[in-house]
Amino acid sequence: MNNLSEQFSKPLLDWFAIHGRKNLPWQLPRSPYRVWVSEIMLQQTQVQTVIPYFERFMQRFPNVQDLAAASEDEVLSLWSGLGYYSRARNLHKTAKIITTDYQGNFPNDLSLVHELPGIGASTAAAILSQAFNQPTAILDGNVKRVLTRFFGIPGHPEQAQVKKKLWELAYACMPQEQCADYTQAIMDLGATCCTTKNFDCYRCPLNNHCHAFLQKEQHQYPTKKVRKPVPVQQQQLLVLCNNKNQIYLEKRPPTGLWGGLWCLPSLDEGNCPLDFIRQEYDLNGDKPQQLIEFKHRFSHFLLEINAIRIKTHALGTKLGENKGQWFSKEKLSSLGLAKPTSKILSLL
């Protein structure tokens, strides 16, 4: 047994046997399909947030063939509120590829999995280690934090040289047996013990050899990225209602902000909503009514939203030129809605 096994892998697996999470929905039962869907949902999203989405998703799409056969709108409607919607679109694309190119069987080769839409190096490794018990090391945020603290690796983890070093260490620590348990163990350690704040080093199975703990430098690892000021944008979102009590929504292009989702029409703050709907849709409307003001945070900017309801009159002649439709309130639940749109429509 080498030093890394004695100091890292074995104590981590021993800890997992007692404290690890073994009853997550994608573990019971465990299959390549369920592991893959869970790993995509868990990208940049916490376990407790993912669980109800995963369970609803599995109820509607119990296998890859059902997912491949669904419409994109149906997939996005079950993803609504989970964010990072390109994940859902890539999941849908990959389901079609697996169904047509792999006869419905998830590939078990790392390079083939990495080529599938929306699956990066760490996600591919996580799927193979957990679904096929292969010794493929992962390097997600939890693992980066554990490794930088244990080995005392300075520099931001996304810097090329630092990331290269962390990948080398991740594979050096990866055992050849109990691969699925080890992958879950190192994720669990980062999520429940070696956390960003309020870390519990005295409960950690690796503290005897952890550089950060022994030097009392836990706060220094991983090295934080210098944060730039978050830009702020302001928009008005318009809830347009017609005389049939229907709501007008527009479908966003496949890529970009809220790609592929149905959204309320928007215009910059300060512009007149009534002028906007006359010019864009040839619609007249009653006096605008303010519904709600709130902030919605994206990874790269903050959006301040002012939601306004307008009762419109005659159907405009320009509506057919746009990518929009009128929907009854009953139909809204079956659409893939952007989270701010869903929040605003829930008020009606």
Side-chain angles (χ1 to χ4, degrees):
M1 188 180 291
N2 60 38
N3 284 342
L4 278 181
S5 178
E6 292 177 356
Q7 298 174 7
F8 197 97
S9 310
K10 187 179 184 305
L12 181 56
L13 283 167
D14 290 344
W15 173 87
F16 176 75
I18 301 170
H19 302 289
R21 294 180 288 190
K22 307 177 191 69
N23 296 305
L24 296 170
W26 41 90
Q27 297 170 327
L28 303 167
R30 190 193 300 262
S31 70
Y33 173 68
R34 292 169 69 86
V35 168
W36 161 54
V37 172
S38 71
E39 285 299 321
I40 300 301
M41 287 187 168
L42 287 164
Q43 290 172 349
Q44 304 182 69
T45 311
Q46 294 182 341
V47 167
Q48 292 308 312
T49 302
V50 164
I51 286 174
Y53 281 91
F54 178 84
E55 290 175 334
R56 285 194 295 268
F57 209 84
M58 285 298 117
Q59 187 174 5
R60 174 59 189 87
F61 308 121
N63 56 59
V64 70
Q65 291 86 355
D66 289 332
L67 177 56
S71 68
E72 184 179 275
D73 260 339
E74 192 171 11
V75 175
L76 288 171
S77 71
L78 285 171
W79 203 276
S80 187
L82 198 54
Y84 301 99
Y85 293 95
S86 61
R87 296 181 297 173
R89 294 193 298 274
N90 284 327
L91 197 75
H92 194 212
K93 291 176 188 174
T94 297
K96 292 181 178 180
I97 292 170
I98 292 172
T99 301
T100 56
D101 295 357
Y102 296 99
Q103 295 75 51
N105 299 310
F106 202 92
N108 62 1
D109 178 271
L110 188 63
S111 61
L112 292 178
V113 176
H114 196 184
E115 289 174 359
L116 295 169
I119 300 182
S122 185
T123 301
I127 293 167
L128 291 187
S129 66
Q130 293 183 92
F132 300 103
N133 208 34
Q134 293 187 17
T136 47
I138 69 168
L139 194 64
D140 69 356
N142 285 321
V143 177
K144 289 172 186 173
R145 187 165 57 254
V146 171
L147 294 179
T148 54
R149 284 177 176 168
F150 185 86
F151 291 101
I153 306 296
H156 189 264
E158 290 304 310
Q159 291 176 327
Q161 285 302 111
V162 178
K163 196 169 188 178
K164 181 174 180 289
K165 179 65 175 176
L166 291 174
W167 270 117
E168 291 170 355
L169 292 169
Y171 267 97
C173 293
M174 183 84 199
Q176 297 301 301
E177 298 177 347
Q178 289 186 265
C179 303
D181 285 350
Y182 174 84
T183 294
Q184 188 64 53
I186 197 167
M187 290 191 294
D188 285 358
L189 188 74
T192 64
C193 188
C194 190
T195 51
T196 306
K197 300 175 182 176
N198 303 318
F199 33 81
D200 190 357
C201 294
Y202 291 98
R203 195 166 59 90
C204 177
L206 308 179
N207 59 20
N208 285 339
H209 301 281
C210 176
H211 172 90
F213 175 68
L214 296 175
Q215 300 299 318
K216 295 182 172 55
E217 295 175 350
Q218 297 96 319
H219 286 289
Q220 296 183 29
Y221 299 98
T223 303
K224 293 179 175 59
K225 189 176 183 179
V226 178
R227 291 190 176 275
K228 298 178 181 178
V230 178
V232 178
Q233 298 181 19
Q234 297 176 320
Q235 279 193 341
Q236 301 175 80
L237 297 187
L238 305 183
V239 182
L240 304 180
C241 308
N242 63 17
N243 56 7
K244 297 180 181 178
N245 207 26
Q246 295 171 318
I247 308 293
Y248 180 74
L249 299 174
E250 295 179 334
K251 192 165 190 177
R252 294 272 182 157
T255 57
L257 199 65
W258 295 316
L261 297 175
W262 290 93
C263 299
L264 295 164
S266 64
L267 70 158
D268 290 338
E269 190 65 51
N271 293 333
C272 176
L274 292 178
D275 289 345
F276 174 79
I277 65 171
R278 276 194 291 267
Q279 292 167 9
E280 293 295 318
Y281 309 120
D282 197 23
L283 288 173
N284 291 317
D286 293 345
K287 182 179 178 181
Q289 298 176 316
Q290 187 178 51
L291 287 174
I292 186 176
E293 287 184 305
F294 61 97
K295 297 176 182 178
H296 184 77
R297 184 175 291 277
F298 293 92
S299 58
H300 53 295
F301 74 97
L302 182 68
L303 183 62
E304 294 181 344
I305 294 170
N306 182 17
I308 296 170
R309 184 180 187 274
I310 301 176
K311 181 67 183 295
T312 64
H313 302 301
L315 285 176
T317 57
K318 295 183 181 179
L319 277 172
E321 301 171 12
N322 293 281
K323 298 178 181 178
Q325 293 181 38
W326 293 98
F327 292 100
S328 65
K329 292 179 181 178
E330 293 74 24
K331 179 70 174 173
L332 296 176
S333 61
S334 65
L335 300 177
L337 301 174
K339 191 171 184 179
T341 296
S342 180
K343 179 175 182 174
I344 293 165
L345 293 180
S346 69
L347 301 174
L348 300 180

